[in-house]
Amino acid sequence: MAWKIVVDSGCDFRQLVDIAPDTEFIRVPLTITIGGEEFVDTPSLDIPSMMAKMYSEKSASSSACPSPEAYYQAFEGADNIVAMTITGTLSGSQNSARIAREMFLEDHPQANILLIDSLSAGGEMDLITLEINRLIAEGNSFQDLSEKVTAYRAKTKLLFILAKVDNLVKNGRLSKLVGAVVGLLNIRMVGEASAEGKLELLQKPRGQKKAVQSGIHEMLKAGYKGGKIVITHLNNEKICHQLIDGLKEHFPNLVATIVPTSGLCSYYAEEGGILMGYEVG
């Protein structure tokens, strides 16, 4: 096996369509604990049941990153490995992958491993994953691919639109007052992943229509010029198409991919939420 693309479940793809020749895609799952029950974020995870449990549980829930051993096993069997994790500000997944990389290279000094902190989640991770696969299929050397992926990551961004923030309130990331306002007044939280990998609030529009307008405005302001986008969503394909239709008024030929959120991204985005990755410049 020449190549492996290894991601954690901050990436929403369960598998890659049209995967590059002589390449394997492996998704290392995080675990979500709600009310003492563990949900492992594999492709077979029953996300509706997990979310129902989360909304019925009054206490805070938590997520746990994969172990270094899980990453080590994922690395085995390839000469060239490209590994990417959810932002290190939300999870220890990046640190686990770093430890695994050091251990693996001690045992397999001939291997090449590029480890990427996405500084993001969801759609932006998905977008970078697609580019990694494209560059492998193009026949790039490991060194050339490493340089090109690093440059590409600097030209992608994440936009999120959240309709519910129950989880953020329970975990102390938002006040109960803000949570109540979002629920009662139909407020949406529109924000982005910062350059440091933190989730930052940009606007608080009321209703989905205004949230779409706000999202498009923020994308254009950030430098979107019609490049590829990946929108991941939890039970809200309608807003995905509204965003795409609105963007096509500016860029008729844009290429967009819609993907259901992984268990982890469902946990963060919540019901009706989206995590959109897009190219800038």
Side-chain angles (χ1 to χ4, degrees):
M1 177 65 64
W3 290 88
K4 274 193 177 183
I5 302 172
V6 178
V7 297
D8 66 21
S9 55
C11 175
D12 300 280
F13 292 128
R14 280 67 170 176
Q15 59 184 6
L16 284 183
V17 178
D18 297 326
I19 193 164
D22 207 14
T23 301
E24 185 178 2
F25 175 72
I26 296 183
R27 189 167 168 267
V28 184
L30 281 87
T31 302
I32 299 154
T33 302
I34 304 170
E37 183 176 354
E38 287 192 346
F39 297 86
V40 182
D41 195 8
T42 62
S44 62
L45 173 63
D46 186 341
I47 293 175
S49 294
M50 183 191 79
M51 297 304 295
K53 174 76 173 179
M54 190 180 86
Y55 288 131
S56 67
E57 179 63 43
K58 293 182 179 179
S59 62
S61 54
S62 63
S63 61
C65 65
S67 67
E69 178 62 26
Y71 277 111
Y72 188 103
Q73 291 178 5
F75 295 162
E76 289 187 318
D79 304 313
N80 300 310
I81 302 152
V82 184
M84 180 170 55
T85 71
I86 190 172
T87 175
T89 65
L90 289 178
S91 170
S93 188
Q94 172 70 198
N95 190 52
S96 283
R98 184 180 296 111
I99 293 169
R101 179 182 182 273
E102 293 171 359
M103 294 167 55
F104 193 84
L105 290 177
E106 284 184 8
D107 296 338
H108 305 83
Q110 78 286 355
N112 297 308
I113 304 178
L114 172 64
L115 177 57
I116 304 168
D117 183 341
S118 71
L119 301 174
S120 191
E124 189 173 4
M125 281 188 72
D126 304 334
L127 197 61
I128 297 167
T129 300
L130 290 176
E131 180 66 6
I132 293 167
N133 186 60
R134 188 190 72 80
L135 290 170
I136 294 172
E138 198 175 64
N140 284 274
S141 67
F142 180 83
Q143 183 61 39
D144 287 345
L145 181 141
S146 298
E147 293 173 1
K148 290 176 181 179
V149 168
T150 300
Y152 183 78
R153 186 172 63 82
K155 295 181 179 180
T156 62
K157 289 185 70 68
L158 178 78
L159 178 89
F160 63 82
I161 300 177
L162 307 183
K164 292 178 71 67
V165 292
D166 298 45
N167 187 27
L168 295 174
V169 172
K170 288 177 185 176
N171 287 283
R173 295 176 185 263
L174 281 178
S175 70
K176 291 183 179 179
L177 177 60
V178 171
V181 168
V182 170
L184 293 174
L185 299 182
N186 198 23
I187 298 294
R188 300 293 193 273
M189 311 289 275
V190 178
E192 66 177 5
S194 71
E196 296 77 33
K198 298 180 180 179
L199 301 183
E200 295 186 345
L201 182 63
L202 298 172
Q203 295 192 38
K204 294 182 284 186
R206 188 170 183 177
Q208 185 158 294
K209 183 178 179 180
K210 289 185 178 179
V212 168
Q213 294 170 348
S214 297
I216 293 172
H217 171 77
E218 293 296 341
M219 289 175 69
L220 296 175
K221 187 170 74 172
Y224 179 71
K225 295 181 180 178
K228 288 181 287 188
I229 64 176
V230 177
I231 312 176
T232 69
H233 70 99
L234 181 60
N235 299 324
N236 197 354
E237 197 162 326
K238 180 178 180 180
I239 195 174
C240 301
H241 290 294
Q242 289 174 331
L243 283 160
I244 292 168
D245 290 344
L247 288 166
K248 281 189 173 180
E249 293 179 8
H250 302 271
F251 310 103
N253 298 319
L254 73 85
V255 176
T257 303
I258 299 174
V259 183
T261 44
S262 64
L264 186 71
C265 289
S266 298
Y267 174 76
Y268 281 115
E270 297 196 48
E271 185 70 26
I274 67 158
L275 299 167
M276 175 195 285
Y278 63 98
E279 298 175 341
V280 295

mmCIF file with all atom_site columns, all heavy atoms in Angstrom, residues 11-25:
data_model
loop_
_atom_site.group_PDB
_atom_site.id
_atom_site.type_symbol
_atom_site.label_atom_id
_atom_site.label_alt_id
_atom_site.label_comp_id
_atom_site.label_asym_id
_atom_site.label_entity_id
_atom_site.label_seq_id
_atom_site.pdbx_PDB_ins_code
_atom_site.Cartn_x
_atom_site.Cartn_y
_atom_site.Cartn_z
_atom_site.occupancy
_atom_site.B_iso_or_equiv
_atom_site.pdbx_formal_charge
_atom_site.auth_seq_id
_atom_site.auth_comp_id
_atom_site.auth_asym_id
_atom_site.auth_atom_id
_atom_site.pdbx_PDB_model_num
ATOM 1   N N   . CYS A 1 11 ? -13.946 14.581 10.541 1.00 0.00 ? 11 CYS A N   1
ATOM 2   C CA  . CYS A 1 11 ? -14.227 14.499 9.106  1.00 0.00 ? 11 CYS A CA  1
ATOM 3   C C   . CYS A 1 11 ? -15.530 13.723 8.939  1.00 0.00 ? 11 CYS A C   1
ATOM 4   O O   . CYS A 1 11 ? -15.733 12.694 9.580  1.00 0.00 ? 11 CYS A O   1
ATOM 5   C CB  . CYS A 1 11 ? -13.081 13.805 8.387  1.00 0.00 ? 11 CYS A CB  1
ATOM 6   S SG  . CYS A 1 11 ? -13.360 13.501 6.625  1.00 0.00 ? 11 CYS A SG  1
ATOM 7   N N   . ASP A 1 12 ? -16.407 14.205 8.077  1.00 0.00 ? 12 ASP A N   1
ATOM 8   C CA  . ASP A 1 12 ? -17.739 13.606 7.943  1.00 0.00 ? 12 ASP A CA  1
ATOM 9   C C   . ASP A 1 12 ? -17.801 12.444 6.960  1.00 0.00 ? 12 ASP A C   1
ATOM 10  O O   . ASP A 1 12 ? -18.758 11.667 6.978  1.00 0.00 ? 12 ASP A O   1
ATOM 11  C CB  . ASP A 1 12 ? -18.741 14.677 7.502  1.00 0.00 ? 12 ASP A CB  1
ATOM 12  C CG  . ASP A 1 12 ? -18.827 15.810 8.495  1.00 0.00 ? 12 ASP A CG  1
ATOM 13  O OD1 . ASP A 1 12 ? -19.511 15.658 9.511  1.00 0.00 ? 12 ASP A OD1 1
ATOM 14  O OD2 . ASP A 1 12 ? -18.185 16.852 8.267  1.00 0.00 ? 12 ASP A OD2 1
ATOM 15  N N   . PHE A 1 13 ? -16.817 12.319 6.087  1.00 0.00 ? 13 PHE A N   1
ATOM 16  C CA  . PHE A 1 13 ? -16.850 11.239 5.098  1.00 0.00 ? 13 PHE A CA  1
ATOM 17  C C   . PHE A 1 13 ? -16.738 9.881  5.778  1.00 0.00 ? 13 PHE A C   1
ATOM 18  O O   . PHE A 1 13 ? -15.851 9.662  6.593  1.00 0.00 ? 13 PHE A O   1
ATOM 19  C CB  . PHE A 1 13 ? -15.718 11.381 4.089  1.00 0.00 ? 13 PHE A CB  1
ATOM 20  C CG  . PHE A 1 13 ? -15.852 12.566 3.177  1.00 0.00 ? 13 PHE A CG  1
ATOM 21  C CD1 . PHE A 1 13 ? -14.815 13.470 3.030  1.00 0.00 ? 13 PHE A CD1 1
ATOM 22  C CD2 . PHE A 1 13 ? -17.013 12.773 2.450  1.00 0.00 ? 13 PHE A CD2 1
ATOM 23  C CE1 . PHE A 1 13 ? -14.927 14.564 2.190  1.00 0.00 ? 13 PHE A CE1 1
ATOM 24  C CE2 . PHE A 1 13 ? -17.145 13.867 1.610  1.00 0.00 ? 13 PHE A CE2 1
ATOM 25  C CZ  . PHE A 1 13 ? -16.094 14.767 1.477  1.00 0.00 ? 13 PHE A CZ  1
ATOM 26  N N   . ARG A 1 14 ? -17.652 8.978  5.451  1.00 0.00 ? 14 ARG A N   1
ATOM 27  C CA  . ARG A 1 14 ? -17.561 7.598  5.914  1.00 0.00 ? 14 ARG A CA  1
ATOM 28  C C   . ARG A 1 14 ? -16.634 6.806  4.995  1.00 0.00 ? 14 ARG A C   1
ATOM 29  O O   . ARG A 1 14 ? -15.993 5.861  5.414  1.00 0.00 ? 14 ARG A O   1
ATOM 30  C CB  . ARG A 1 14 ? -18.931 6.943  5.947  1.00 0.00 ? 14 ARG A CB  1
ATOM 31  C CG  . ARG A 1 14 ? -19.783 7.291  7.175  1.00 0.00 ? 14 ARG A CG  1
ATOM 32  C CD  . ARG A 1 14 ? -20.222 8.736  7.219  1.00 0.00 ? 14 ARG A CD  1
ATOM 33  N NE  . ARG A 1 14 ? -21.214 8.989  8.273  1.00 0.00 ? 14 ARG A NE  1
ATOM 34  C CZ  . ARG A 1 14 ? -21.701 10.191 8.556  1.00 0.00 ? 14 ARG A CZ  1
ATOM 35  N NH1 . ARG A 1 14 ? -21.286 11.262 7.894  1.00 0.00 ? 14 ARG A NH1 1
ATOM 36  N NH2 . ARG A 1 14 ? -22.587 10.331 9.513  1.00 0.00 ? 14 ARG A NH2 1
ATOM 37  N N   . GLN A 1 15 ? -16.584 7.194  3.729  1.00 0.00 ? 15 GLN A N   1
ATOM 38  C CA  . GLN A 1 15 ? -15.678 6.618  2.756  1.00 0.00 ? 15 GLN A CA  1
ATOM 39  C C   . GLN A 1 15 ? -15.445 7.666  1.673  1.00 0.00 ? 15 GLN A C   1
ATOM 40  O O   . GLN A 1 15 ? -16.176 8.656  1.593  1.00 0.00 ? 15 GLN A O   1
ATOM 41  C CB  . GLN A 1 15 ? -16.253 5.344  2.137  1.00 0.00 ? 15 GLN A CB  1
ATOM 42  C CG  . GLN A 1 15 ? -17.586 5.553  1.425  1.00 0.00 ? 15 GLN A CG  1
ATOM 43  C CD  . GLN A 1 15 ? -18.164 4.266  0.901  1.00 0.00 ? 15 GLN A CD  1
ATOM 44  O OE1 . GLN A 1 15 ? -17.650 3.191  1.148  1.00 0.00 ? 15 GLN A OE1 1
ATOM 45  N NE2 . GLN A 1 15 ? -19.247 4.349  0.134  1.00 0.00 ? 15 GLN A NE2 1
ATOM 46  N N   . LEU A 1 16 ? -14.417 7.462  0.863  1.00 0.00 ? 16 LEU A N   1
ATOM 47  C CA  . LEU A 1 16 ? -14.134 8.389  -0.229 1.00 0.00 ? 16 LEU A CA  1
ATOM 48  C C   . LEU A 1 16 ? -14.566 7.772  -1.547 1.00 0.00 ? 16 LEU A C   1
ATOM 49  O O   . LEU A 1 16 ? -14.165 6.657  -1.889 1.00 0.00 ? 16 LEU A O   1
ATOM 50  C CB  . LEU A 1 16 ? -12.648 8.729  -0.285 1.00 0.00 ? 16 LEU A CB  1
ATOM 51  C CG  . LEU A 1 16 ? -12.111 9.717  0.755  1.00 0.00 ? 16 LEU A CG  1
ATOM 52  C CD1 . LEU A 1 16 ? -10.638 9.997  0.492  1.00 0.00 ? 16 LEU A CD1 1
ATOM 53  C CD2 . LEU A 1 16 ? -12.901 11.022 0.750  1.00 0.00 ? 16 LEU A CD2 1
ATOM 54  N N   . VAL A 1 17 ? -15.376 8.503  -2.291 1.00 0.00 ? 17 VAL A N   1
ATOM 55  C CA  . VAL A 1 17 ? -15.752 8.091  -3.637 1.00 0.00 ? 17 VAL A CA  1
ATOM 56  C C   . VAL A 1 17 ? -14.587 8.440  -4.565 1.00 0.00 ? 17 VAL A C   1
ATOM 57  O O   . VAL A 1 17 ? -13.930 9.468  -4.393 1.00 0.00 ? 17 VAL A O   1
ATOM 58  C CB  . VAL A 1 17 ? -17.037 8.815  -4.083 1.00 0.00 ? 17 VAL A CB  1
ATOM 59  C CG1 . VAL A 1 17 ? -17.407 8.426  -5.506 1.00 0.00 ? 17 VAL A CG1 1
ATOM 60  C CG2 . VAL A 1 17 ? -18.180 8.495  -3.122 1.00 0.00 ? 17 VAL A CG2 1
ATOM 61  N N   . ASP A 1 18 ? -14.320 7.589  -5.522 1.00 0.00 ? 18 ASP A N   1
ATOM 62  C CA  . ASP A 1 18 ? -13.214 7.815  -6.473 1.00 0.00 ? 18 ASP A CA  1
ATOM 63  C C   . ASP A 1 18 ? -11.884 7.993  -5.750 1.00 0.00 ? 18 ASP A C   1
ATOM 64  O O   . ASP A 1 18 ? -11.131 8.948  -6.015 1.00 0.00 ? 18 ASP A O   1
ATOM 65  C CB  . ASP A 1 18 ? -13.503 9.043  -7.350 1.00 0.00 ? 18 ASP A CB  1
ATOM 66  C CG  . ASP A 1 18 ? -14.742 8.870  -8.211 1.00 0.00 ? 18 ASP A CG  1
ATOM 67  O OD1 . ASP A 1 18 ? -15.001 7.723  -8.646 1.00 0.00 ? 18 ASP A OD1 1
ATOM 68  O OD2 . ASP A 1 18 ? -15.446 9.854  -8.439 1.00 0.00 ? 18 ASP A OD2 1
ATOM 69  N N   . ILE A 1 19 ? -11.604 7.110  -4.819 1.00 0.00 ? 19 ILE A N   1
ATOM 70  C CA  . ILE A 1 19 ? -10.347 7.203  -4.071 1.00 0.00 ? 19 ILE A CA  1
ATOM 71  C C   . ILE A 1 19 ? -9.166  6.986  -5.021 1.00 0.00 ? 19 ILE A C   1
ATOM 72  O O   . ILE A 1 19 ? -9.254  6.231  -5.996 1.00 0.00 ? 19 ILE A O   1
ATOM 73  C CB  . ILE A 1 19 ? -10.325 6.189  -2.910 1.00 0.00 ? 19 ILE A CB  1
ATOM 74  C CG1 . ILE A 1 19 ? -9.162  6.501  -1.951 1.00 0.00 ? 19 ILE A CG1 1
ATOM 75  C CG2 . ILE A 1 19 ? -10.279 4.759  -3.423 1.00 0.00 ? 19 ILE A CG2 1
ATOM 76  C CD1 . ILE A 1 19 ? -9.282  5.814  -0.613 1.00 0.00 ? 19 ILE A CD1 1
ATOM 77  N N   . ALA A 1 20 ? -8.058  7.671  -4.741 1.00 0.00 ? 20 ALA A N   1
ATOM 78  C CA  . ALA A 1 20 ? -6.870  7.594  -5.591 1.00 0.00 ? 20 ALA A CA  1
ATOM 79  C C   . ALA A 1 20 ? -6.342  6.163  -5.651 1.00 0.00 ? 20 ALA A C   1
ATOM 80  O O   . ALA A 1 20 ? -6.514  5.381  -4.706 1.00 0.00 ? 20 ALA A O   1
ATOM 81  C CB  . ALA A 1 20 ? -5.793  8.529  -5.043 1.00 0.00 ? 20 ALA A CB  1
ATOM 82  N N   . PRO A 1 21 ? -5.684  5.787  -6.735 1.00 0.00 ? 21 PRO A N   1
ATOM 83  C CA  . PRO A 1 21 ? -5.118  4.433  -6.855 1.00 0.00 ? 21 PRO A CA  1
ATOM 84  C C   . PRO A 1 21 ? -4.124  4.133  -5.743 1.00 0.00 ? 21 PRO A C   1
ATOM 85  O O   . PRO A 1 21 ? -3.392  5.019  -5.292 1.00 0.00 ? 21 PRO A O   1
ATOM 86  C CB  . PRO A 1 21 ? -4.417  4.472  -8.222 1.00 0.00 ? 21 PRO A CB  1
ATOM 87  C CG  . PRO A 1 21 ? -5.096  5.565  -8.985 1.00 0.00 ? 21 PRO A CG  1
ATOM 88  C CD  . PRO A 1 21 ? -5.478  6.586  -7.961 1.00 0.00 ? 21 PRO A CD  1
ATOM 89  N N   . ASP A 1 22 ? -4.125  2.882  -5.297 1.00 0.00 ? 22 ASP A N   1
ATOM 90  C CA  . ASP A 1 22 ? -3.176  2.401  -4.294 1.00 0.00 ? 22 ASP A CA  1
ATOM 91  C C   . ASP A 1 22 ? -3.231  3.246  -3.017 1.00 0.00 ? 22 ASP A C   1
ATOM 92  O O   . ASP A 1 22 ? -2.206  3.569  -2.416 1.00 0.00 ? 22 ASP A O   1
ATOM 93  C CB  . ASP A 1 22 ? -1.753  2.410  -4.862 1.00 0.00 ? 22 ASP A CB  1
ATOM 94  C CG  . ASP A 1 22 ? -0.865  1.374  -4.183 1.00 0.00 ? 22 ASP A CG  1
ATOM 95  O OD1 . ASP A 1 22 ? -1.398  0.488  -3.485 1.00 0.00 ? 22 ASP A OD1 1
ATOM 96  O OD2 . ASP A 1 22 ? 0.367   1.453  -4.336 1.00 0.00 ? 22 ASP A OD2 1
ATOM 97  N N   . THR A 1 23 ? -4.452  3.613  -2.633 1.00 0.00 ? 23 THR A N   1
ATOM 98  C CA  . THR A 1 23 ? -4.670  4.478  -1.465 1.00 0.00 ? 23 THR A CA  1
ATOM 99  C C   . THR A 1 23 ? -5.787  3.904  -0.611 1.00 0.00 ? 23 THR A C   1
ATOM 100 O O   . THR A 1 23 ? -6.775  3.391  -1.135 1.00 0.00 ? 23 THR A O   1
ATOM 101 C CB  . THR A 1 23 ? -5.041  5.910  -1.906 1.00 0.00 ? 23 THR A CB  1
ATOM 102 O OG1 . THR A 1 23 ? -3.989  6.447  -2.715 1.00 0.00 ? 23 THR A OG1 1
ATOM 103 C CG2 . THR A 1 23 ? -5.260  6.822  -0.708 1.00 0.00 ? 23 THR A CG2 1
ATOM 104 N N   . GLU A 1 24 ? -5.635  3.998  0.696  1.00 0.00 ? 24 GLU A N   1
ATOM 105 C CA  . GLU A 1 24 ? -6.675  3.560  1.629  1.00 0.00 ? 24 GLU A CA  1
ATOM 106 C C   . GLU A 1 24 ? -7.094  4.739  2.496  1.00 0.00 ? 24 GLU A C   1
ATOM 107 O O   . GLU A 1 24 ? -6.256  5.527  2.943  1.00 0.00 ? 24 GLU A O   1
ATOM 108 C CB  . GLU A 1 24 ? -6.171  2.419  2.503  1.00 0.00 ? 24 GLU A CB  1
ATOM 109 C CG  . GLU A 1 24 ? -7.236  1.830  3.429  1.00 0.00 ? 24 GLU A CG  1
ATOM 110 C CD  . GLU A 1 24 ? -6.733  0.662  4.254  1.00 0.00 ? 24 GLU A CD  1
ATOM 111 O OE1 . GLU A 1 24 ? -5.530  0.319  4.133  1.00 0.00 ? 24 GLU A OE1 1
ATOM 112 O OE2 . GLU A 1 24 ? -7.534  0.101  5.031  1.00 0.00 ? 24 GLU A OE2 1
ATOM 113 N N   . PHE A 1 25 ? -8.395  4.854  2.717  1.00 0.00 ? 25 PHE A N   1
ATOM 114 C CA  . PHE A 1 25 ? -8.951  5.910  3.569  1.00 0.00 ? 25 PHE A CA  1
ATOM 115 C C   . PHE A 1 25 ? -9.387  5.284  4.884  1.00 0.00 ? 25 PHE A C   1
ATOM 116 O O   . PHE A 1 25 ? -10.169 4.339  4.905  1.00 0.00 ? 25 PHE A O   1
ATOM 117 C CB  . PHE A 1 25 ? -10.153 6.560  2.875  1.00 0.00 ? 25 PHE A CB  1
ATOM 118 C CG  . PHE A 1 25 ? -10.881 7.577  3.711  1.00 0.00 ? 25 PHE A CG  1
ATOM 119 C CD1 . PHE A 1 25 ? -10.312 8.818  3.970  1.00 0.00 ? 25 PHE A CD1 1
ATOM 120 C CD2 . PHE A 1 25 ? -12.134 7.293  4.235  1.00 0.00 ? 25 PHE A CD2 1
ATOM 121 C CE1 . PHE A 1 25 ? -10.996 9.759  4.737  1.00 0.00 ? 25 PHE A CE1 1
ATOM 122 C CE2 . PHE A 1 25 ? -12.823 8.228  5.002  1.00 0.00 ? 25 PHE A CE2 1
ATOM 123 C CZ  . PHE A 1 25 ? -12.246 9.467  5.244  1.00 0.00 ? 25 PHE A CZ  1
#
